[in-house]
Amino acid sequence: MREKQEDNNNFNDNNNDNNNNNNNNNNNNNNIKNNYNKLENNQIGINSDNSLNQPKESLPIKGYHISAKKTYFKLLEDSYFSKRNDWVKVNALTAPIGTDLKSTIALCNQYCNINDNNGNNKIDTSKIPLLFTNLSIEDTSRTMVLRGPFFLDGSISSTSTLTSTSALASISKLRTINHNSIIRNVIPNYQIITDKYLLYKHLFNNKSKYQVPTYFINRGRFENKLEEENNSNNIVWYLKDPLLNKSEGIKLFKSIEKVYEFIGMDENKNNRYLLQKEIHPKLLNGIFKFDIRVFVVVTFTPTKTLVYIFKEAIVRSTNSPYKKGDTSRDSQLTNFCYQLEINPNFQNILSLSQFEIIDQNNQNNQNNQNKNGRIFNKLKDATKNIFTSLLNKLNNQASGDEISGWSLFGLDFILDENESPYLLEINISPSTFQGSPNNVSSICQNLIKQVPIITFDIIFNNQNNDQNNNNNNNNNNNNNNNNNNNQKNNQINESEINIDGTDFIQLISKIGDTNLKNQF
């Protein structure tokens, strides 16, 4: 863990700077909360001529385009965008966009105090700039593509064929924009997270204690030495396609010999696989295998990267009782979508806090350590450790290219029989379990409602915050000049901060290698 030790040395050398940053963070939290409440009380309406009726107190008007039916983006639109007075739905393919984020924000600022000839406050919504969308195809190039909505907006049903001229025209609509001209919905270099092969290579190279014992198979060959294993009937081997999700691409085997037979088949010879030895798990009510979904938000700007964890997690279990050595998918695979396909009335999903109460009652309080929150604290420590090691791989493009945005991740952990957590995977578009019992779906709704406070309100501050930031920047110019060398070392602060007005904890803040000032 040399990389982590170096980060800790930087942190220790800069304790005074971190204390100042903590004070600034607390002040910013109060400003964000006040601004959020202020905007909630300022209503904007859409006129029949598709123009925007401005409030008396003008605000920068920002455009968004969400096209989704079931993902967390749809929840974000329903709970945030559609209820806010400073965001308006626009067309991502036609709305104005600047050459970079700063110029796009400047375009938004033009639509604060514009009057028509009759003295009425009206704005043509077709002229409102696009600032955020989930229609972007993002990678590490200097341009990115915006897709047409097509299926996702429901203009053409999922049962329609793609033979009609209108359907083909819709799916072919693409728009190329500069990669730093809007708020990004995924962090640069996210592939190290979504590709489980790369993620586990990272954990393996960092000797992470949170990795499941893993062998890497590339084109039919093992990249790391296969240790001798006894052929116990209690051992189950998981062979995983690293790019598939929702339990797709997972094969279960009782022996290494069967694994060799599978990867030796002609159709599998050129593929990559992860071979993982099963973790004998802690069980729900002593019966069902389960995993735990932890929600993490990463907000990034040209000057910093912030990692937050949501204080509630989701326990997902199997339909069928667990038995050691059993290769039945029904009793081994905890994925919610997979279990729901097996049984549409599936109910074995609950909050982590509820699980901890049940587990504590089952153990009759015999162990004083079995107190509520003990499992969450273990998962929080694991999440901080994993993302601290990942941060120098993620977002290394943002500094030079002035990229800002945020990502929501779902981390899936399994507990062994001693309650030690192991990371299974990280999902870049995590489910919000809206088909689950009310207590779980409402937890996820609450999560999404709070996300903008630690993302948009940090990336894009209103004019009052602009003035405060300018004053702070002027007062701290000397300190900033003295700290440039520290910033270039990618200073990582692991001080935990509870974010006021939310159920989020800031786990990590990283100061990037940049001399850029806050542009908002």
Side-chain angles (χ1 to χ4, degrees):
M1 299 295 293
R2 191 179 75 176
E3 184 177 80
K4 178 173 173 53
Q5 290 173 352
E6 291 173 352
D7 293 335
N8 285 339
N9 288 337
N10 290 334
F11 171 58
N12 292 333
D13 290 340
N14 295 286
N15 277 332
N16 291 333
D17 296 333
N18 291 335
N19 290 333
N20 292 333
N21 288 335
N22 287 339
N23 291 333
N24 290 334
N25 281 334
N26 290 332
N27 292 333
N28 287 336
N29 287 340
N30 292 330
N31 288 334
I32 288 171
K33 187 176 180 181
N34 291 335
N35 293 330
Y36 187 83
N37 293 333
K38 179 180 177 182
L39 292 173
E40 283 291 316
N41 296 325
N42 227 352
Q43 297 302 314
I44 290 181
I46 301 295
N47 299 316
S48 58
D49 60 353
N50 199 37
S51 63
L52 192 70
N53 188 27
Q54 287 283 73
K56 293 181 180 180
E57 183 176 358
S58 297
L59 297 166
I61 308 303
K62 304 174 283 289
Y64 76 93
H65 191 170
I66 297 297
S67 178
K69 289 184 177 180
K70 294 182 179 180
T71 69
Y72 70 85
F73 287 111
K74 177 59 177 173
L75 274 183
L76 184 65
E77 179 175 32
D78 291 344
S79 64
Y80 178 73
F81 288 122
S82 65
K83 297 184 182 301
R84 290 294 291 257
N85 56 12
D86 56 338
W87 289 91
V88 174
K89 191 163 189 174
V90 299
N91 188 330
L93 297 179
T94 59
I97 299 176
T99 56
D100 56 21
L101 185 57
K102 185 175 182 180
S103 60
T104 303
I105 292 173
L107 290 175
C108 294
N109 289 334
Q110 292 180 8
Y111 297 97
C112 291
N113 294 295
I114 297 182
N115 298 328
D116 64 13
N117 294 331
N118 297 323
N120 297 319
N121 291 331
K122 289 185 177 181
I123 296 173
D124 182 355
T125 56
S126 67
K127 296 181 180 179
I128 299 205
L130 176 74
L131 200 59
F132 182 79
T133 183
N134 70 324
L135 293 170
S136 56
I137 302 174
E138 306 196 19
D139 54 29
T140 56
S141 63
R142 299 190 68 81
T143 60
M144 64 180 180
V145 172
L146 302 182
R147 300 166 287 180
F150 196 50
F151 282 133
L152 298 179
D153 268 347
S155 55
I156 299 178
S157 69
S158 59
T159 57
S160 300
T161 63
L162 298 181
T163 56
S164 68
T165 302
S166 60
L168 292 173
S170 296
I171 201 169
S172 64
K173 287 182 179 179
L174 297 173
R175 179 184 185 182
T176 301
I177 63 174
N178 289 343
H179 67 310
N180 60 348
S181 57
I182 63 175
I183 295 175
R184 301 279 291 261
N185 65 49
V186 66
I187 192 167
N189 297 332
Y190 68 93
Q191 292 85 352
I192 193 175
I193 285 179
T194 57
D195 186 330
K196 289 183 276 290
Y197 201 91
L198 298 179
L199 173 63
Y200 253 84
K201 268 294 188 71
H202 174 82
L203 297 176
F204 180 84
N205 291 335
N206 282 274
K207 298 180 173 60
S208 173
K209 66 179 181 179
Y210 302 111
Q211 62 173 322
V212 177
T214 301
Y215 298 102
F216 303 90
I217 302 172
N218 192 0
R219 297 180 178 273
R221 302 184 64 179
F222 282 77
E223 292 193 354
N224 51 331
K225 184 179 178 181
L226 181 62
E227 302 292 338
E228 288 190 17
E229 299 284 351
N230 60 45
N231 290 322
S232 169
N233 289 330
N234 289 336
I235 294 179
V236 174
W237 293 95
Y238 280 63
L239 188 69
K240 300 180 179 180
D241 184 316
L243 295 179
L244 295 181
N245 298 306
K246 298 182 179 179
S247 295
E248 297 177 4
I250 297 179
K251 306 292 182 182
L252 304 178
F253 297 95
K254 291 285 292 180
S255 68
I256 293 293
E257 289 74 20
K258 293 295 184 182
V259 174
Y260 274 115
E261 289 180 14
F262 180 83
I263 64 176
M265 295 179 181
D266 289 342
E267 62 267 30
N268 301 325
K269 283 183 178 179
N270 294 323
N271 296 339
R272 297 179 306 158
Y273 295 102
L274 295 177
L275 179 63
Q276 297 182 327
K277 185 179 178 180
E278 180 195 11
I279 298 292
H280 287 157
K282 180 182 176 68
L283 301 178
L284 172 62
N285 293 326
I287 301 174
F288 300 102
K289 183 177 181 179
F290 68 90
D291 69 10
I292 305 174
R293 167 67 57 83
V294 173
F295 293 102
V296 170
V297 174
V298 180
T299 302
F300 53 95
T301 72
T303 59
K304 60 188 175 183
T305 306
L306 306 173
V307 179
Y308 303 90
I309 187 172
F310 193 60
K311 293 179 183 178
E312 185 62 279
I314 306 300
V315 173
R316 315 176 302 171
S317 87
T318 60
N319 269 296
S320 303
Y322 172 81
K323 181 181 178 181
K324 286 183 179 180
D326 186 8
T327 56
S328 167
R329 294 171 65 87
D330 295 3
S331 64
Q332 287 281 1
L333 304 182
T334 55
N335 181 271
F336 176 70
C337 294
Y338 173 77
Q339 293 294 337
L340 204 59
E341 289 178 3
I342 298 173
N343 178 12
N345 297 317
F346 174 69
Q347 295 288 308
N348 279 1
I349 182 169
L350 66 160
S351 67
L352 177 58
S353 57
Q354 184 180 358
F355 168 81
E356 292 205 62
I357 293 174
I358 294 172
D359 190 57
Q360 184 177 358
N361 292 336
N362 288 342
Q363 297 187 39
N364 297 320
N365 299 318
Q366 292 178 0
N367 187 342
N368 290 331
Q369 293 182 349
N370 289 335
K371 58 183 180 179
N372 294 341
R374 74 186 188 282
I375 294 177
F376 176 79
N377 287 332
K378 290 180 180 181
L379 298 174
K380 176 166 62 68
D381 292 343
T383 300
K384 178 188 289 189
N385 179 278
I386 291 166
F387 269 92
T388 298
S389 70
L390 283 170
L391 277 187
N392 286 329
K393 303 288 186 180
L394 296 170
N395 201 30
N396 56 17
Q397 185 188 18
S399 172
D401 292 343
E402 299 187 42
I403 294 174
S404 295
W406 60 275
S407 296
L408 174 64
F409 296 109
L411 282 68
D412 294 338
F413 288 94
I414 191 169
L415 303 179
D416 68 10
E417 294 169 310
N418 297 316
E419 292 189 352
S420 297
Y422 292 86
L423 180 68
L424 298 176
E425 63 182 13
I426 301 179
N427 300 277
I428 197 171
S429 184
S431 170
T432 52
F433 308 113
Q434 293 307 290
S436 61
N438 288 335
N439 61 322
V440 172
S441 59
S442 61
I443 288 170
C444 295
Q445 291 167 15
N446 189 42
L447 157 76
I448 299 302
K449 286 179 181 178
Q450 297 178 19
V451 161
I453 299 175
I454 57 171
T455 56
F456 295 122
D457 288 354
I458 287 176
I459 294 171
F460 184 88
N461 293 316
N462 65 17
Q463 294 178 0
N464 289 335
N465 272 349
D466 286 342
Q467 185 61 45
N468 291 337
N469 287 334
N470 287 335
N471 292 337
N472 289 335
N473 286 335
N474 291 333
N475 294 334
N476 293 324
N477 273 341
N478 292 332
N479 291 334
N480 288 337
N481 290 332
N482 293 334
N483 291 331
N484 276 342
N485 291 331
N486 293 334
Q487 290 183 1
K488 291 180 180 180
N489 288 329
N490 288 331
Q491 174 187 332
I492 292 181
N493 183 347
E494 296 185 48
S495 299
E496 296 180 9
I497 302 172
N498 287 293
I499 305 302
D500 292 344
T502 77
D503 295 306
F504 280 98
I505 302 171
Q506 180 182 300
L507 292 181
I508 311 167
S509 63
K510 171 191 170 185
I511 304 301
D513 182 9
T514 178
N515 291 324
L516 297 172
K517 294 182 180 180
N518 189 345
Q519 62 180 338
F520 303 117

